[in-house]
Structure formats: structure tokens, C-alpha cells
Amino acid sequence: MTIPPAPSTHPDAGWWRQAAVYQIYPRSFSDANGDGMGDLPGVTARMGYLAALGIDAVWLSPFYPSALADGGYDVDDYRNVDPRLGTLADFDAMVAAAHDAGIRVIVDVVPNHSSNRHEWFKAALASAPGSPERARYHFLDGLGRHGELPPSDWPSHFGGAAWTRVVEQAGPNAGRPGQWYLHLFATEQPDFNWDHPEVREDFHTTLRFWADRGVDGFRVDVAHGLAKDMTLPLRSKKVLDILVDDGSDPLFDRDEVHEIFAGWRDVLNEYDPPKAAVAEAWVPFTSRRLKYARPTELGQAFNFDLLQAPFDAAGFRAIAEKCLVEAEASGASSTWVFSNHDVVRHASRYSLPDGSTLEDLAAWLLAGGATPPTDRERGLRRARAATLFMLGLPGSAYLYQGEELGLFEVADLPEASLQDPTWFRTQHSVKGRDGCRVPLPWLSDAADFGFGGSPWLPQPDWFAGHAADVQDGVEGSTLEMYRAALGWRRKLQAEESLQWLDAAAPAVVHYRRPNGWEVLSNFGGAPAMVPSGVDLSKVVLSSGEPARGAIPGETTLWLAP
Ligand code: NOJ
């Protein structure tokens, strides 16, 4: 068993506990070389914008060499930069510029699977069944008389089966269909075998490689998927959701996974301040999700509960209360997220009719061709209120590029432009996630909205009204609201706790931070009574209309002490 090292006494050791982290999807952020794909020099060029926004850190989605079968989450080489996005020197320049601007850098690690172009997978394909090269992945013989059936009924996340059969290149069956390999995502994303010591060791090398280049933390993709029960015969699992909270699922959230992350923590603690890490673990049980976030493991785990919840006072408060209590008990700090590169943007989710579940909303927006009845004004009003509710809470806030511009999902991308593997693996029945990945609008009346090159996904005309330049300095714009909130947030965060206060109306949630800052959110459509003792003259920020004697509908107010 690993003995946890003594906690660091470095003054910056806990920088991540209440950080505002801005997610950059590099292909879609800013294009410096004009090839239509965002790149690392593009990020460097926008460091002034990021500093003015007031964030503490950026998290970059993968920028590694990749065929982009899954937007870069199919990694060919974990310790390099995709030439279309820059070079290692560009990476170093970007980190230096970020650090000069007081911004920390988090990079994505993708340990569940590599791409099928990774040198280890190419070696596995070129070697015979049973060879050491195959042992780093999950290769199995098929079922049926001739091995013609996949080894289990497991589905892939993007549709279709999680197994692909190979044509053998070596051994007695060369030239004939042979074994099957596991890929819980696209065919191009073979799953690693984490029981293999070389896989474990290689990821330690990757962590050190980027840590030595100055990154401050890691976002860990599909953290709950690394340990699998591959005992034969494989157990049946027709849906990928985790239905049990005891670690007995064959594919996800198994107890053995924590030993892997305890090993990672040892590596991260070789640095002072220790490197931060956040698990992407879609585990529906808070207490089990927080195991990944223990101080002896990654430190944080994404909390997607608010992201999945309808816009509702009681629901939001219950989630925030539970997550804060459980995070504290586990020694972590909570995280909060409304949008990222995998989900429909929250301004669009909230613009759909009440009573719709997230599944309805996703199906509505993502199903080929359907145009849902939306109320964009209300969607953005609610998104802004939800964001201020969240930014006032203790813990880390993860923001997704473009939400500070009030962007909606681009739900009607032309089919010919779609690139998400979901679109291809569902025989064009589910559009997938491209609608939240459209390159950002920087300038309202420039070609490509100032992105830098003809964008890899087409931008809609309505982006003009959301461009950064038309919001810059404009009171009440979403960009200025984010800037003000991120500025005030530093003052709120003196201590990592809050007190819930009784609100005057059921649609209102009211909390106070220890240093006297107060947040009041009205989730109802109509103005709500101000709780007694609240002095509206102390309002420094409103997500909507100014508060005149009442809390406006679907609005959050921040009050200074
Ligand atoms: C989660 C990532 O956020 C998503 O974009 C990706 O498709 C899967 N993991 C597979 O890597």
C-alpha cells in the first residue's frame, strides 16, 4: 500500500481548490496560422483576453498528434503536439505566456484508450494473438464456432458494438479474420489494459513529461474506466450507465481503479507545489465519485450534477448542499460545471420548454434535423442566473469557452460538416457534439468572425451578435458579467464555506459566504420578495435587470458585505 506523502506546505499548494478554470477546446478557440483550425499560438495570442476575463487557470482539451477520429481524444503520441496545432516550442511559449499572466495550465490526459495509430497499437496489430504486444490492449478471441461473434454484448459510447475484429497480420491465421479488440468509444480508440505494468509506467512518464514542462495540473479523461473485470466469460452489460454503487460493474468505477490514482498522486507529489488533477468520472453516486478526489488520489472530480439538473431552486440548493458536505468529508473541494465540449450549451438547454428532461433536450437538439421550440431570451437569462449562483459557491468553477459570450448551441449545423463519431456510428441518426464546438466569434464584422481562418465547422450568422468585440465594455453584456463576477469572486473566497439562509419565497435560494458576501437567486419567472434584513443597496452584480424593491425573475444578485 502507498503511504501518502506529507502534504506540501508550499503557499500555492491549494491554488486549485477554488479556482475558476476556463476550458479551451484548442481547435475552436483561435487560429493563428489561418488554416481553419485553432492552435496553440492562437491561445498564446489571446492570453490578454483570458487575463482580463479573470480566470485562474486554463484547461486545454487534447492538442496531441491525432487523426481526430474523436476530436483529439484519440491520441497517437502522448508526449507531443499535433503539427496542425503547433510544436512543443509553441506549447512552452503558451505556458510561459500563461504564467506571466498569472494563469495556470491544466492539460488533458487520456488514459482509457489510445488511438489506433499509437505505436503500441500498430505493434499489437502486426503481432500474433497471445504476443506481448497484444497484452497492452484487450484482445480476445470471439464467440461462436469460428470466433465470428464479439466476446461480449458491450456497446460503445458512440453507438454500435465495443468490439472490432481484426484481420491477423502474423501467426498461423495471417490474412484471415482473427481476434477482437475492445473500444468503449470509437473503433479508432482501443482500450488499454491497465493490468499491464508498461501501461502504468508509461502514463507516469507522460505525467512527468508535461509536469516538467511546467503544467500545473491534469484533467483525467474517463478516469472511472481504467480498471475492468475481464474475467472470462465476460459478463453481460447492454447499457453503459453505472447502475450499482458497490464497485461491481465490470467496466466502470471498480474499486481497483483507486490504486492506479494513488500511484499517480505519488508522481504529482514529486513536485512542489504538487500538481493538481481532476477526474472526469461520470459516476452517479456522489460518495463514490469523490473517492477519485481524495487527497491521496486526484484531488478533485468533476461534478456534473448541476449540469444535469433542471433550472429549479430546490434542486439546485439540494445539489449544492450535498456536494459541498460530501466534498469536505472526503478532503476535496467541490467542482461545478454547466457546459463543456460534450454537452449542449447551457443557454440552449435552458431555452427549451419546462418539464423537459436533459435526455429530451439532448435528443431534441441532437437528433438529425429536429428544431426544438426555443426561447433564447429566457435561455440566456437563466444561464446567466445559474452561472452567478454557481460562481458564488465555494469550490472550483469550470467554464467552457464561449459561455462568457452567451453562446448557444449551433443545433442546425449542416450534416456534411459534422465530425463527431456519434454521427457516423449511429448511421447518421444522432448528430453528436459538434454544435458546442463551433469556432469562437471574436469580431462581429470580420471574415470568420475574427477566428483566424475559414473555420473547420461553419459559424452561423447570429454569432455576430455574440462576438467578443460587441460585448467588450458594454454594461450588462454577458462578457462583462463574467468579468465582473470573476473579479468579485476572488473577494468572496476568503474561506471555503457558506451558510444557507432562509429565503422569503420557495423560488429563491439565499446563501452567505463567511466574509459577508451574499448571493440571492430567484429561479421563478416572476419577481420575488427580498428576504428581511437584505439591503438591496449592497447589490454589486445582477445577472439580469437591476433589483428595484424585488429580486427580478430568473436572476441572481451578488451583495457585498
Ligand atoms: C470524454 C471526453 O470529454 C469526450 O470528448 C471523449 O469523446 C471521451 N471522453 C472519450 O475520450
Side-chain angles (χ1 to χ4, degrees):
M1 186 182 144
T2 320
I3 299 169
S8 166
T9 53
H10 195 289
D12 289 340
W15 70 265
W16 45 272
R17 295 191 66 90
Q18 297 201 78
V21 184
Y22 181 90
Q23 182 191 354
I24 291 180
Y25 193 69
R27 287 200 289 165
S28 303
F29 184 68
S30 183
D31 178 12
N33 68 359
D35 68 354
M37 196 181 281
D39 44 36
L40 297 181
V43 177
T44 308
R46 301 283 181 191
M47 212 51 82
Y49 172 85
L50 295 169
L53 187 56
I55 50 159
D56 301 298
V58 287
W59 145 36
L60 278 89
S61 278
F63 47 81
Y64 315 112
S66 168
L68 303 178
D70 180 21
Y73 284 90
D74 46 321
V75 179
D76 297 351
D77 175 358
Y78 288 88
R79 301 192 278 273
N80 213 335
V81 173
D82 190 310
R84 288 165 294 184
L85 273 65
T87 61
L88 279 170
D90 292 330
F91 180 82
D92 294 341
M94 191 265 307
V95 172
H99 287 170
D100 283 350
I103 294 172
R104 292 188 164 83
V105 178
I106 295 175
V107 298
D108 224 300
V109 198
V110 188
N112 180 66
H113 43 264
S114 69
S115 90
N116 58 348
R117 307 195 316 173
H118 189 283
E119 63 171 288
W120 279 359
F121 193 71
K122 288 194 280 192
L125 288 183
S127 306
S131 61
E133 287 81 1
R134 290 237 161 145
R136 299 182 190 118
Y137 294 90
H138 293 293
F139 277 86
L140 285 178
D141 294 333
L143 305 177
R145 252 183 92 203
H146 307 289
E148 71 280 12
L149 301 172
S152 72
D153 58 0
W154 300 343
S156 136
H157 273 283
F158 298 141
W163 296 95
T164 289
R165 194 173 194 189
V166 301
V167 173
E168 297 298 350
Q169 297 175 20
N173 282 330
R176 287 202 288 275
Q179 288 197 303
W180 299 71
Y181 69 87
L182 178 67
H183 54 88
L184 291 180
F185 294 87
T187 314
E188 297 86 350
Q189 293 169 295
D191 283 43
F192 279 121
N193 171 12
W194 271 87
D195 285 335
H196 199 298
E198 282 175 27
V199 172
R200 294 188 180 217
E201 197 45 49
D202 197 61
F203 273 91
H204 288 186
T205 305
T206 294
L207 293 175
R208 290 190 184 103
F209 178 86
W210 295 107
D212 290 343
R213 295 194 101 89
V215 313
D216 303 284
F218 298 90
R219 177 264 189 193
V220 185
D221 192 61
V222 200
H224 58 314
L226 310 191
K228 298 178 175 80
D229 178 7
M230 300 300 289
T231 317
L232 297 176
L234 299 177
R235 279 188 279 152
S236 168
K237 181 170 167 65
K238 290 196 171 67
V239 288
L240 289 172
D241 301 334
I242 307 173
L243 305 173
V244 286
D245 65 356
D246 58 2
S248 64
D249 188 289
L251 294 178
F252 295 110
D253 193 34
R254 297 186 60 77
D255 293 335
E256 307 89 85
V257 80
H258 297 292
E259 189 200 315
I260 297 172
F261 294 127
W264 285 36
R265 177 42 60 195
D266 289 343
V267 174
L268 303 176
N269 283 357
E270 289 168 5
Y271 300 83
D272 201 22
K275 301 300 176 186
V278 55
E280 187 222 23
W282 285 85
V283 176
F285 314 101
T286 318
S287 58
R288 285 200 65 92
R289 181 175 67 222
L290 280 162
K291 286 178 189 274
Y292 299 79
R294 290 178 288 201
T296 47
E297 296 189 28
L298 297 174
Q300 282 193 326
F302 282 132
N303 161 10
F304 297 118
D305 296 358
L306 283 182
L307 180 156
Q308 293 172 289
F311 183 81
D312 170 71
F316 267 46
R317 173 166 166 176
I319 289 169
E321 264 191 280
K322 178 176 160 68
C323 293
L324 287 170
V325 167
E326 295 203 19
E328 191 180 350
S330 75
S333 67
S334 192
T335 63
W336 313 105
V337 189
F338 281 119
S339 282
N340 63 31
H341 65 297
D342 289 331
V343 297
V344 171
R345 285 186 178 276
H346 63 294
S348 282
R349 296 201 305 269
Y350 295 143
S351 71
L352 287 149
D354 281 341
S356 310
T357 65
L358 191 69
E359 283 75 28
D360 294 336
L361 307 189
W364 230 333
L365 275 168
L366 301 180
T371 311
T374 56
D375 178 345
R376 284 194 167 189
E377 210 176 296
R378 191 184 63 157
L380 185 54
R381 188 166 60 239
R382 289 177 160 201
R384 290 167 51 124
T387 296
L388 285 197
F389 171 84
M390 175 269 248
L391 285 177
L393 293 171
S396 298
Y398 284 82
L399 309 171
Y400 178 51
Q401 66 177 39
E403 67 170 83
E404 80 280 16
L405 303 176
L407 287 190
F408 297 99
E409 188 83 359
V410 185
D412 56 356
L413 281 170
E415 294 184 352
S417 67
L418 296 177
Q419 302 206 6
D420 190 329
T422 308
W423 174 245
F424 303 103
R425 292 185 62 84
T426 59
Q427 284 74 47
H428 299 183
S429 63
V430 180
K431 275 188 165 174
R433 303 158 294 175
D434 291 318
C436 63
R437 300 175 177 179
V438 177
L440 292 190
W442 295 96
L443 302 170
S444 64
D445 62 0
D448 314 315
F449 298 118
F451 173 60
S454 178
W456 64 278
L457 282 173
Q459 299 158 306
D461 292 345
W462 55 261
F463 262 30
H466 291 256
D469 68 334
V470 293
Q471 301 196 44
D472 186 28
V474 175
E475 205 190 324
S477 71
T478 302
L479 178 58
E480 290 301 339
M481 184 197 86
Y482 270 74
R483 286 175 175 164
L486 292 167
W488 291 121
R489 184 178 148 88
R490 297 221 158 96
K491 297 195 191 292
L492 258 71
Q493 291 170 321
E495 282 180 52
E496 205 181 300
S497 61
L498 59 59
Q499 180 191 4
W500 297 101
L501 300 168
D502 284 335
V508 174
V509 181
H510 186 190
Y511 62 82
R512 183 189 293 138
R513 299 294 297 265
N515 55 359
W517 281 80
E518 287 180 45
V519 175
L520 270 167
S521 291
N522 177 8
F523 289 79
M529 246 173 71
V530 178
S532 64
V534 169
D535 176 359
L536 284 187
S537 70
K538 293 185 172 172
V539 172
V540 294
L541 190 59
S542 166
S543 67
E545 299 297 310
R548 292 201 183 85
I551 316 168
E554 299 177 332
T555 297
T556 294
L557 307 175
W558 281 18
L559 285 75

